[in-house]
Amino acid sequence: MTIAIPIPVKLDGEVKITPENKCTYCRGATCCTYLTQSIDAPRSMEDFDLLLWQISHANTQVYKDSDGWFLLVNNTCLHLQPGGRCGIYETRPQVCRDHSNDDCEFEGPCGEDDFDLFFSGYEALLAYCRRRFKNWDKRRIGAGAAAK
Protein backbone atom coordinates (compact mmCIF):
# COMPACT_ATOMS: atom_id res chain seq x y z
CA MET A 1 0.00 0.00 0.00
CA THR A 2 1.34 3.39 -0.96
CA ILE A 3 1.19 5.94 1.83
CA ALA A 4 2.46 9.01 0.02
CA ILE A 5 1.05 10.64 -3.08
CA PRO A 6 3.33 10.68 -6.13
CA ILE A 7 4.36 14.20 -7.05
CA PRO A 8 4.06 15.10 -10.72
CA VAL A 9 6.96 17.32 -11.73
CA LYS A 10 7.44 19.27 -14.94
CA LEU A 11 10.92 20.63 -15.35
CA ASP A 12 11.89 23.31 -17.82
CA GLY A 13 14.70 22.10 -20.04
CA GLU A 14 17.89 21.13 -18.29
CA VAL A 15 17.11 22.21 -14.73
CA LYS A 16 19.32 20.42 -12.23
CA ILE A 17 17.45 19.52 -9.04
CA THR A 18 19.49 20.16 -5.90
CA PRO A 19 18.57 20.16 -2.19
CA GLU A 20 18.59 23.96 -2.38
CA ASN A 21 15.95 24.19 -5.14
CA LYS A 22 14.05 20.90 -4.78
CA CYS A 23 11.20 22.36 -2.70
CA THR A 24 10.66 25.02 -5.36
CA TYR A 25 9.71 22.31 -7.86
CA CYS A 26 7.59 20.25 -5.47
CA ARG A 27 3.89 20.77 -6.14
CA GLY A 28 2.41 18.20 -3.80
CA ALA A 29 4.02 19.28 -0.52
CA THR A 30 3.63 15.66 0.56
CA CYS A 31 5.94 16.21 3.53
CA CYS A 32 3.24 18.53 4.93
CA THR A 33 0.40 16.00 4.61
CA TYR A 34 1.33 13.63 7.42
CA LEU A 35 3.22 13.41 10.67
CA THR A 36 5.11 10.62 12.33
CA GLN A 37 5.59 10.12 16.04
CA SER A 38 8.23 7.82 17.46
CA ILE A 39 6.81 5.32 19.95
CA ASP A 40 8.34 2.79 22.30
CA ALA A 41 8.75 -0.62 20.71
CA PRO A 42 5.70 -2.68 21.63
CA ARG A 43 6.57 -5.93 23.36
CA SER A 44 3.63 -7.13 25.44
CA MET A 45 0.03 -7.85 24.57
CA GLU A 46 -0.90 -4.69 26.48
CA ASP A 47 1.47 -2.65 24.29
CA PHE A 48 -0.09 -4.05 21.13
CA ASP A 49 -3.59 -3.57 22.50
CA LEU A 50 -2.76 0.14 22.90
CA LEU A 51 -1.50 0.23 19.31
CA LEU A 52 -4.79 -1.30 18.16
CA TRP A 53 -6.62 1.56 19.87
CA GLN A 54 -4.34 4.12 18.22
CA ILE A 55 -4.63 2.64 14.74
CA SER A 56 -8.41 2.54 15.16
CA HIS A 57 -8.43 6.31 14.62
CA ALA A 58 -8.96 7.63 11.09
CA ASN A 59 -5.92 8.14 8.89
CA THR A 60 -3.53 6.45 11.36
CA GLN A 61 -1.06 3.73 10.51
CA VAL A 62 1.88 2.10 12.28
CA TYR A 63 5.28 1.13 10.96
CA LYS A 64 8.67 -0.11 12.07
CA ASP A 65 11.86 0.71 10.24
CA SER A 66 15.55 0.81 11.06
CA ASP A 67 14.94 3.84 13.31
CA GLY A 68 12.26 2.12 15.43
CA TRP A 69 8.46 2.14 15.72
CA PHE A 70 6.26 5.03 14.59
CA LEU A 71 2.68 6.18 14.40
CA LEU A 72 1.92 7.63 10.99
CA VAL A 73 -0.94 10.13 10.94
CA ASN A 74 -2.05 11.13 7.44
CA ASN A 75 -3.40 14.59 8.08
CA THR A 76 -2.53 17.81 6.23
CA CYS A 77 -0.87 20.69 8.06
CA LEU A 78 -3.32 23.51 8.74
CA HIS A 79 -0.83 26.03 7.34
CA LEU A 80 -0.41 24.40 3.93
CA GLN A 81 -1.65 26.86 1.31
CA PRO A 82 -3.16 26.13 -2.09
CA GLY A 83 -0.23 25.48 -4.43
CA GLY A 84 1.76 23.75 -1.69
CA ARG A 85 3.42 26.67 0.08
CA CYS A 86 3.64 27.20 3.84
CA GLY A 87 1.36 29.93 5.20
CA ILE A 88 3.64 30.57 8.20
CA TYR A 89 7.01 29.97 6.58
CA GLU A 90 8.83 32.79 8.40
CA THR A 91 7.53 31.65 11.82
CA ARG A 92 7.24 27.89 11.17
CA PRO A 93 8.08 25.46 14.01
CA GLN A 94 11.65 24.28 14.46
CA VAL A 95 10.81 20.73 13.33
CA CYS A 96 9.80 22.20 9.95
CA ARG A 97 13.03 24.23 9.81
CA ASP A 98 15.07 21.10 10.59
CA HIS A 99 13.33 18.98 7.94
CA SER A 100 15.73 17.74 5.30
CA ASN A 101 14.67 17.09 1.73
CA ASP A 102 17.62 14.73 1.13
CA ASP A 103 15.31 11.70 1.04
CA CYS A 104 11.85 13.15 0.55
CA GLU A 105 8.73 12.18 -1.37
CA PHE A 106 9.87 14.30 -4.33
CA GLU A 107 11.96 11.28 -5.29
CA GLY A 108 8.91 9.02 -5.27
CA PRO A 109 6.24 7.74 -2.90
CA CYS A 110 6.95 5.53 0.08
CA GLY A 111 5.33 2.14 0.24
CA GLU A 112 5.20 -0.98 2.35
CA ASP A 113 8.55 -2.17 0.96
CA ASP A 114 10.27 0.80 2.64
CA PHE A 115 9.52 -0.56 6.13
CA ASP A 116 10.43 -3.61 8.18
CA LEU A 117 6.78 -3.79 9.28
CA PHE A 118 3.83 -1.72 8.04
CA PHE A 119 0.26 -1.85 9.33
CA SER A 120 -2.21 -0.04 7.10
CA GLY A 121 -5.06 -0.38 9.55
CA TYR A 122 -6.69 -2.20 12.44
CA GLU A 123 -7.21 -5.52 10.65
CA ALA A 124 -3.56 -5.74 9.54
CA LEU A 125 -2.27 -5.09 13.05
CA LEU A 126 -4.80 -7.47 14.60
CA ALA A 127 -3.69 -10.25 12.25
CA TYR A 128 -0.06 -9.60 13.29
CA CYS A 129 -1.02 -9.72 16.98
CA ARG A 130 -2.76 -13.05 16.48
CA ARG A 131 0.34 -14.48 14.76
CA ARG A 132 2.76 -13.08 17.34
CA PHE A 133 0.75 -14.10 20.42
CA LYS A 134 -0.85 -17.52 20.02
CA ASN A 135 -3.22 -16.80 22.94
CA TRP A 136 -4.16 -13.29 21.70
CA ASP A 137 -7.91 -13.92 21.57
CA LYS A 138 -7.88 -15.46 25.07
CA ARG A 139 -6.00 -12.60 26.75
CA ARG A 140 -9.05 -11.17 28.52
CA ILE A 141 -10.50 -14.42 29.84
CA GLY A 142 -8.22 -14.48 32.89
CA ALA A 143 -8.62 -10.74 33.50
CA GLY A 144 -12.42 -10.96 33.43
CA ALA A 145 -12.50 -13.85 35.87
CA ALA A 146 -10.12 -12.05 38.27
CA ALA A 147 -12.33 -8.96 38.34
CA LYS A 148 -15.40 -10.89 39.58
Side-chain angles (χ1 to χ4, degrees):
M1 173 181 174
T2 299
I3 60 167
I5 301 167
I7 301 169
V9 179
K10 290 185 178 179
L11 299 178
D12 300 326
E14 297 287 324
V15 174
K16 179 175 167 72
I17 301 298
T18 66
E20 292 76 27
N21 72 6
K22 188 187 295 186
C23 294
T24 302
Y25 290 98
C26 178
R27 298 294 175 250
T30 306
C31 61
C32 299
T33 62
Y34 69 91
L35 63 96
T36 59
Q37 180 67 49
S38 176
I39 59 175
D40 292 336
R43 292 186 176 24
S44 67
M45 282 195 270
E46 292 80 13
D47 294 342
F48 279 96
D49 199 57
L50 177 62
L51 271 183
L52 282 169
W53 169 73
Q54 291 169 315
I55 205 170
S56 292
H57 291 79
N59 305 315
T60 303
Q61 298 164 321
V62 175
Y63 69 89
K64 177 190 178 296
D65 66 11
S66 59
D67 293 326
W69 284 80
F70 295 86
L71 282 179
L72 169 65
V73 180
N74 295 291
N75 203 341
T76 302
C77 177
L78 297 174
H79 306 292
L80 187 61
Q81 302 295 300
R85 297 289 172 230
C86 178
I88 60 165
Y89 187 80
E90 293 302 320
T91 59
R92 69 194 185 281
Q94 190 63 45
V95 69
C96 300
R97 294 173 186 276
D98 293 342
H99 175 70
S100 169
N101 65 12
D102 290 341
D103 187 28
C104 71
E105 294 83 358
F106 186 87
E107 312 299 335
C110 292
E112 287 186 52
D113 293 340
D114 295 309
F115 308 107
D116 298 335
L117 294 170
F118 180 79
F119 304 103
S120 59
Y122 182 89
E123 293 301 324
L125 182 56
L126 180 61
Y128 178 82
C129 291
R130 286 178 170 152
R131 284 191 310 273
R132 178 173 172 142
F133 301 101
K134 299 303 178 202
N135 59 346
W136 178 262
D137 290 320
K138 297 176 185 173
R139 71 191 185 284
R140 292 199 177 90
I141 294 172
K148 289 182 181 180

